[in-house]
mmCIF file with all atom_site columns, all heavy atoms in Angstrom:
data_model
loop_
_atom_site.group_PDB
_atom_site.id
_atom_site.type_symbol
_atom_site.label_atom_id
_atom_site.label_alt_id
_atom_site.label_comp_id
_atom_site.label_asym_id
_atom_site.label_entity_id
_atom_site.label_seq_id
_atom_site.pdbx_PDB_ins_code
_atom_site.Cartn_x
_atom_site.Cartn_y
_atom_site.Cartn_z
_atom_site.occupancy
_atom_site.B_iso_or_equiv
_atom_site.pdbx_formal_charge
_atom_site.auth_seq_id
_atom_site.auth_comp_id
_atom_site.auth_asym_id
_atom_site.auth_atom_id
_atom_site.pdbx_PDB_model_num
ATOM 1   N N   . TYR A 1 30 ? -83.839 -24.667 91.367  1.00 91.00 ? 30 TYR A N   1
ATOM 2   C CA  . TYR A 1 30 ? -83.202 -25.952 91.314  1.00 91.00 ? 30 TYR A CA  1
ATOM 3   C C   . TYR A 1 30 ? -82.167 -25.969 90.138  1.00 91.00 ? 30 TYR A C   1
ATOM 4   O O   . TYR A 1 30 ? -81.387 -27.002 90.119  1.00 91.00 ? 30 TYR A O   1
ATOM 5   C CB  . TYR A 1 30 ? -84.282 -27.101 91.079  1.00 91.00 ? 30 TYR A CB  1
ATOM 6   C CG  . TYR A 1 30 ? -84.934 -26.897 89.762  1.00 91.00 ? 30 TYR A CG  1
ATOM 7   C CD1 . TYR A 1 30 ? -84.655 -27.787 88.637  1.00 91.00 ? 30 TYR A CD1 1
ATOM 8   C CD2 . TYR A 1 30 ? -86.067 -26.204 89.641  1.00 91.00 ? 30 TYR A CD2 1
ATOM 9   C CE1 . TYR A 1 30 ? -85.239 -27.748 87.392  1.00 91.00 ? 30 TYR A CE1 1
ATOM 10  C CE2 . TYR A 1 30 ? -86.704 -26.001 88.423  1.00 91.00 ? 30 TYR A CE2 1
ATOM 11  C CZ  . TYR A 1 30 ? -86.323 -26.789 87.302  1.00 91.00 ? 30 TYR A CZ  1
ATOM 12  O OH  . TYR A 1 30 ? -87.013 -26.776 86.096  1.00 91.00 ? 30 TYR A OH  1
ATOM 13  N N   . LEU A 1 31 ? -82.201 -24.998 89.320  1.00 89.00 ? 31 LEU A N   1
ATOM 14  C CA  . LEU A 1 31 ? -81.269 -24.936 88.166  1.00 89.00 ? 31 LEU A CA  1
ATOM 15  C C   . LEU A 1 31 ? -80.172 -23.943 88.431  1.00 89.00 ? 31 LEU A C   1
ATOM 16  O O   . LEU A 1 31 ? -79.171 -23.745 87.651  1.00 89.00 ? 31 LEU A O   1
ATOM 17  C CB  . LEU A 1 31 ? -81.900 -24.434 86.938  1.00 89.00 ? 31 LEU A CB  1
ATOM 18  C CG  . LEU A 1 31 ? -82.881 -25.551 86.175  1.00 89.00 ? 31 LEU A CG  1
ATOM 19  C CD1 . LEU A 1 31 ? -83.607 -24.743 85.021  1.00 89.00 ? 31 LEU A CD1 1
ATOM 20  C CD2 . LEU A 1 31 ? -82.095 -26.693 85.770  1.00 89.00 ? 31 LEU A CD2 1
ATOM 21  N N   . GLY A 1 32 ? -80.100 -23.533 89.778  1.00 90.00 ? 32 GLY A N   1
ATOM 22  C CA  . GLY A 1 32 ? -79.047 -22.569 90.166  1.00 90.00 ? 32 GLY A CA  1
ATOM 23  C C   . GLY A 1 32 ? -79.517 -21.167 90.288  1.00 90.00 ? 32 GLY A C   1
ATOM 24  O O   . GLY A 1 32 ? -78.487 -20.388 90.718  1.00 90.00 ? 32 GLY A O   1
ATOM 25  N N   . TYR A 1 33 ? -80.594 -20.821 89.984  1.00 93.00 ? 33 TYR A N   1
ATOM 26  C CA  . TYR A 1 33 ? -80.988 -19.413 90.064  1.00 93.00 ? 33 TYR A CA  1
ATOM 27  C C   . TYR A 1 33 ? -81.383 -19.113 91.441  1.00 93.00 ? 33 TYR A C   1
ATOM 28  O O   . TYR A 1 33 ? -82.548 -18.803 91.746  1.00 93.00 ? 33 TYR A O   1
ATOM 29  C CB  . TYR A 1 33 ? -82.117 -19.046 89.034  1.00 93.00 ? 33 TYR A CB  1
ATOM 30  C CG  . TYR A 1 33 ? -81.812 -19.424 87.631  1.00 93.00 ? 33 TYR A CG  1
ATOM 31  C CD1 . TYR A 1 33 ? -82.058 -20.667 86.963  1.00 93.00 ? 33 TYR A CD1 1
ATOM 32  C CD2 . TYR A 1 33 ? -81.193 -18.317 86.917  1.00 93.00 ? 33 TYR A CD2 1
ATOM 33  C CE1 . TYR A 1 33 ? -81.727 -20.823 85.668  1.00 93.00 ? 33 TYR A CE1 1
ATOM 34  C CE2 . TYR A 1 33 ? -80.874 -18.635 85.590  1.00 93.00 ? 33 TYR A CE2 1
ATOM 35  C CZ  . TYR A 1 33 ? -81.082 -19.813 84.899  1.00 93.00 ? 33 TYR A CZ  1
ATOM 36  O OH  . TYR A 1 33 ? -80.841 -20.082 83.649  1.00 93.00 ? 33 TYR A OH  1
ATOM 37  N N   . GLN A 1 34 ? -80.449 -19.146 92.322  1.00 92.00 ? 34 GLN A N   1
ATOM 38  C CA  . GLN A 1 34 ? -80.669 -18.975 93.789  1.00 92.00 ? 34 GLN A CA  1
ATOM 39  C C   . GLN A 1 34 ? -80.788 -17.499 94.053  1.00 92.00 ? 34 GLN A C   1
ATOM 40  O O   . GLN A 1 34 ? -80.323 -16.569 93.287  1.00 92.00 ? 34 GLN A O   1
ATOM 41  C CB  . GLN A 1 34 ? -79.583 -19.488 94.559  1.00 92.00 ? 34 GLN A CB  1
ATOM 42  C CG  . GLN A 1 34 ? -79.352 -20.947 94.376  1.00 92.00 ? 34 GLN A CG  1
ATOM 43  C CD  . GLN A 1 34 ? -80.379 -21.925 94.960  1.00 92.00 ? 34 GLN A CD  1
ATOM 44  O OE1 . GLN A 1 34 ? -81.034 -21.510 95.913  1.00 92.00 ? 34 GLN A OE1 1
ATOM 45  N NE2 . GLN A 1 34 ? -80.429 -23.116 94.391  1.00 92.00 ? 34 GLN A NE2 1
ATOM 46  N N   . ILE A 1 35 ? -81.290 -17.116 95.229  1.00 92.00 ? 35 ILE A N   1
ATOM 47  C CA  . ILE A 1 35 ? -81.232 -15.677 95.839  1.00 92.00 ? 35 ILE A CA  1
ATOM 48  C C   . ILE A 1 35 ? -81.077 -15.735 97.100  1.00 92.00 ? 35 ILE A C   1
ATOM 49  O O   . ILE A 1 35 ? -81.697 -16.527 97.946  1.00 92.00 ? 35 ILE A O   1
ATOM 50  C CB  . ILE A 1 35 ? -82.561 -14.909 95.377  1.00 92.00 ? 35 ILE A CB  1
ATOM 51  C CG1 . ILE A 1 35 ? -82.392 -13.592 95.743  1.00 92.00 ? 35 ILE A CG1 1
ATOM 52  C CG2 . ILE A 1 35 ? -83.863 -15.668 96.016  1.00 92.00 ? 35 ILE A CG2 1
ATOM 53  C CD1 . ILE A 1 35 ? -83.490 -12.605 95.152  1.00 92.00 ? 35 ILE A CD1 1
ATOM 54  N N   . VAL A 1 36 ? -80.070 -14.902 97.606  1.00 91.00 ? 36 VAL A N   1
ATOM 55  C CA  . VAL A 1 36 ? -79.747 -14.759 99.115  1.00 91.00 ? 36 VAL A CA  1
ATOM 56  C C   . VAL A 1 36 ? -79.935 -13.250 99.329  1.00 91.00 ? 36 VAL A C   1
ATOM 57  O O   . VAL A 1 36 ? -80.298 -12.478 98.546  1.00 91.00 ? 36 VAL A O   1
ATOM 58  C CB  . VAL A 1 36 ? -78.224 -15.233 99.342  1.00 91.00 ? 36 VAL A CB  1
ATOM 59  C CG1 . VAL A 1 36 ? -78.086 -16.581 99.151  1.00 91.00 ? 36 VAL A CG1 1
ATOM 60  C CG2 . VAL A 1 36 ? -77.299 -14.335 98.581  1.00 91.00 ? 36 VAL A CG2 1
ATOM 61  N N   . THR A 1 37 ? -79.689 -12.846 100.617 1.00 90.00 ? 37 THR A N   1
ATOM 62  C CA  . THR A 1 37 ? -79.750 -11.584 101.078 1.00 90.00 ? 37 THR A CA  1
ATOM 63  C C   . THR A 1 37 ? -78.537 -10.756 100.297 1.00 90.00 ? 37 THR A C   1
ATOM 64  O O   . THR A 1 37 ? -77.444 -10.975 100.505 1.00 90.00 ? 37 THR A O   1
ATOM 65  C CB  . THR A 1 37 ? -79.614 -11.436 102.533 1.00 90.00 ? 37 THR A CB  1
ATOM 66  O OG1 . THR A 1 37 ? -80.720 -12.106 103.170 1.00 90.00 ? 37 THR A OG1 1
ATOM 67  C CG2 . THR A 1 37 ? -79.648 -9.875  102.996 1.00 90.00 ? 37 THR A CG2 1
ATOM 68  N N   . ILE A 1 38 ? -78.989 -9.669  99.479  1.00 91.00 ? 38 ILE A N   1
ATOM 69  C CA  . ILE A 1 38 ? -78.158 -8.954  98.801  1.00 91.00 ? 38 ILE A CA  1
ATOM 70  C C   . ILE A 1 38 ? -77.360 -7.902  99.679  1.00 91.00 ? 38 ILE A C   1
ATOM 71  O O   . ILE A 1 38 ? -77.858 -7.305  100.471 1.00 91.00 ? 38 ILE A O   1
ATOM 72  C CB  . ILE A 1 38 ? -78.824 -8.296  97.654  1.00 91.00 ? 38 ILE A CB  1
ATOM 73  C CG1 . ILE A 1 38 ? -79.610 -9.225  96.750  1.00 91.00 ? 38 ILE A CG1 1
ATOM 74  C CG2 . ILE A 1 38 ? -77.934 -7.334  96.933  1.00 91.00 ? 38 ILE A CG2 1
ATOM 75  C CD1 . ILE A 1 38 ? -80.342 -8.629  95.621  1.00 91.00 ? 38 ILE A CD1 1
ATOM 76  N N   . ASP A 1 39 ? -76.044 -7.964  99.399  1.00 92.00 ? 39 ASP A N   1
ATOM 77  C CA  . ASP A 1 39 ? -75.165 -7.037  100.198 1.00 92.00 ? 39 ASP A CA  1
ATOM 78  C C   . ASP A 1 39 ? -75.274 -5.600  99.454  1.00 92.00 ? 39 ASP A C   1
ATOM 79  O O   . ASP A 1 39 ? -75.138 -5.531  98.193  1.00 92.00 ? 39 ASP A O   1
ATOM 80  C CB  . ASP A 1 39 ? -73.714 -7.495  100.157 1.00 92.00 ? 39 ASP A CB  1
ATOM 81  C CG  . ASP A 1 39 ? -72.796 -6.519  100.814 1.00 92.00 ? 39 ASP A CG  1
ATOM 82  O OD1 . ASP A 1 39 ? -72.848 -6.285  102.100 1.00 92.00 ? 39 ASP A OD1 1
ATOM 83  O OD2 . ASP A 1 39 ? -71.966 -5.865  100.073 1.00 92.00 ? 39 ASP A OD2 1
ATOM 84  N N   . LYS A 1 40 ? -75.637 -4.554  100.253 1.00 93.00 ? 40 LYS A N   1
ATOM 85  C CA  . LYS A 1 40 ? -75.876 -3.317  99.526  1.00 93.00 ? 40 LYS A CA  1
ATOM 86  C C   . LYS A 1 40 ? -74.653 -2.719  98.901  1.00 93.00 ? 40 LYS A C   1
ATOM 87  O O   . LYS A 1 40 ? -74.724 -2.108  97.825  1.00 93.00 ? 40 LYS A O   1
ATOM 88  C CB  . LYS A 1 40 ? -76.523 -2.349  100.496 1.00 93.00 ? 40 LYS A CB  1
ATOM 89  C CG  . LYS A 1 40 ? -77.933 -2.649  101.048 1.00 93.00 ? 40 LYS A CG  1
ATOM 90  C CD  . LYS A 1 40 ? -78.442 -1.710  102.101 1.00 93.00 ? 40 LYS A CD  1
ATOM 91  C CE  . LYS A 1 40 ? -79.853 -2.124  102.584 1.00 93.00 ? 40 LYS A CE  1
ATOM 92  N NZ  . LYS A 1 40 ? -80.386 -1.086  103.529 1.00 93.00 ? 40 LYS A NZ  1
ATOM 93  N N   . ALA A 1 41 ? -73.583 -2.839  99.631  1.00 94.00 ? 41 ALA A N   1
ATOM 94  C CA  . ALA A 1 41 ? -72.302 -2.292  99.020  1.00 94.00 ? 41 ALA A CA  1
ATOM 95  C C   . ALA A 1 41 ? -72.002 -2.907  97.728  1.00 94.00 ? 41 ALA A C   1
ATOM 96  O O   . ALA A 1 41 ? -71.532 -2.226  96.793  1.00 94.00 ? 41 ALA A O   1
ATOM 97  C CB  . ALA A 1 41 ? -71.280 -2.418  100.022 1.00 94.00 ? 41 ALA A CB  1
ATOM 98  N N   . SER A 1 42 ? -72.056 -4.222  97.645  1.00 95.00 ? 42 SER A N   1
ATOM 99  C CA  . SER A 1 42 ? -71.741 -5.034  96.389  1.00 95.00 ? 42 SER A CA  1
ATOM 100 C C   . SER A 1 42 ? -72.703 -4.504  95.334  1.00 95.00 ? 42 SER A C   1
ATOM 101 O O   . SER A 1 42 ? -72.267 -4.364  94.188  1.00 95.00 ? 42 SER A O   1
ATOM 102 C CB  . SER A 1 42 ? -71.816 -6.528  96.742  1.00 95.00 ? 42 SER A CB  1
ATOM 103 O OG  . SER A 1 42 ? -70.758 -6.920  97.554  1.00 95.00 ? 42 SER A OG  1
ATOM 104 N N   . PHE A 1 43 ? -73.941 -4.486  95.726  1.00 94.00 ? 43 PHE A N   1
ATOM 105 C CA  . PHE A 1 43 ? -74.872 -4.128  94.647  1.00 94.00 ? 43 PHE A CA  1
ATOM 106 C C   . PHE A 1 43 ? -74.624 -2.655  94.149  1.00 94.00 ? 43 PHE A C   1
ATOM 107 O O   . PHE A 1 43 ? -74.854 -2.468  92.952  1.00 94.00 ? 43 PHE A O   1
ATOM 108 C CB  . PHE A 1 43 ? -76.323 -4.180  95.189  1.00 94.00 ? 43 PHE A CB  1
ATOM 109 C CG  . PHE A 1 43 ? -77.394 -4.306  94.145  1.00 94.00 ? 43 PHE A CG  1
ATOM 110 C CD1 . PHE A 1 43 ? -77.536 -5.411  93.467  1.00 94.00 ? 43 PHE A CD1 1
ATOM 111 C CD2 . PHE A 1 43 ? -78.285 -3.227  93.980  1.00 94.00 ? 43 PHE A CD2 1
ATOM 112 C CE1 . PHE A 1 43 ? -78.475 -5.572  92.400  1.00 94.00 ? 43 PHE A CE1 1
ATOM 113 C CE2 . PHE A 1 43 ? -79.183 -3.220  92.888  1.00 94.00 ? 43 PHE A CE2 1
ATOM 114 C CZ  . PHE A 1 43 ? -79.342 -4.524  92.256  1.00 94.00 ? 43 PHE A CZ  1
ATOM 115 N N   . ILE A 1 44 ? -74.323 -1.651  94.987  1.00 95.00 ? 44 ILE A N   1
ATOM 116 C CA  . ILE A 1 44 ? -74.084 -0.416  94.610  1.00 95.00 ? 44 ILE A CA  1
ATOM 117 C C   . ILE A 1 44 ? -72.854 -0.284  93.624  1.00 95.00 ? 44 ILE A C   1
ATOM 118 O O   . ILE A 1 44 ? -72.957 0.339   92.669  1.00 95.00 ? 44 ILE A O   1
ATOM 119 C CB  . ILE A 1 44 ? -73.963 0.595   95.762  1.00 95.00 ? 44 ILE A CB  1
ATOM 120 C CG1 . ILE A 1 44 ? -75.119 0.749   96.580  1.00 95.00 ? 44 ILE A CG1 1
ATOM 121 C CG2 . ILE A 1 44 ? -73.286 1.890   95.382  1.00 95.00 ? 44 ILE A CG2 1
ATOM 122 C CD1 . ILE A 1 44 ? -75.093 1.540   97.932  1.00 95.00 ? 44 ILE A CD1 1
ATOM 123 N N   . LEU A 1 45 ? -71.861 -1.075  94.001  1.00 96.00 ? 45 LEU A N   1
ATOM 124 C CA  . LEU A 1 45 ? -70.708 -1.160  93.200  1.00 96.00 ? 45 LEU A CA  1
ATOM 125 C C   . LEU A 1 45 ? -71.016 -1.793  91.817  1.00 96.00 ? 45 LEU A C   1
ATOM 126 O O   . LEU A 1 45 ? -70.449 -1.378  90.822  1.00 96.00 ? 45 LEU A O   1
ATOM 127 C CB  . LEU A 1 45 ? -69.564 -1.853  93.843  1.00 96.00 ? 45 LEU A CB  1
ATOM 128 C CG  . LEU A 1 45 ? -68.149 -1.947  93.162  1.00 96.00 ? 45 LEU A CG  1
ATOM 129 C CD1 . LEU A 1 45 ? -67.680 -0.521  92.755  1.00 96.00 ? 45 LEU A CD1 1
ATOM 130 C CD2 . LEU A 1 45 ? -67.207 -2.704  94.037  1.00 96.00 ? 45 LEU A CD2 1
#
Side-chain angles (χ1 to χ4, degrees):
Y30 67 97
L31 290 177
Y33 299 93
Q34 304 286 341
I35 184 167
V36 299
T37 302
I38 296 175
D39 178 70
K40 292 181 180 180
S42 291
F43 196 74
I44 291 173
L45 184 54

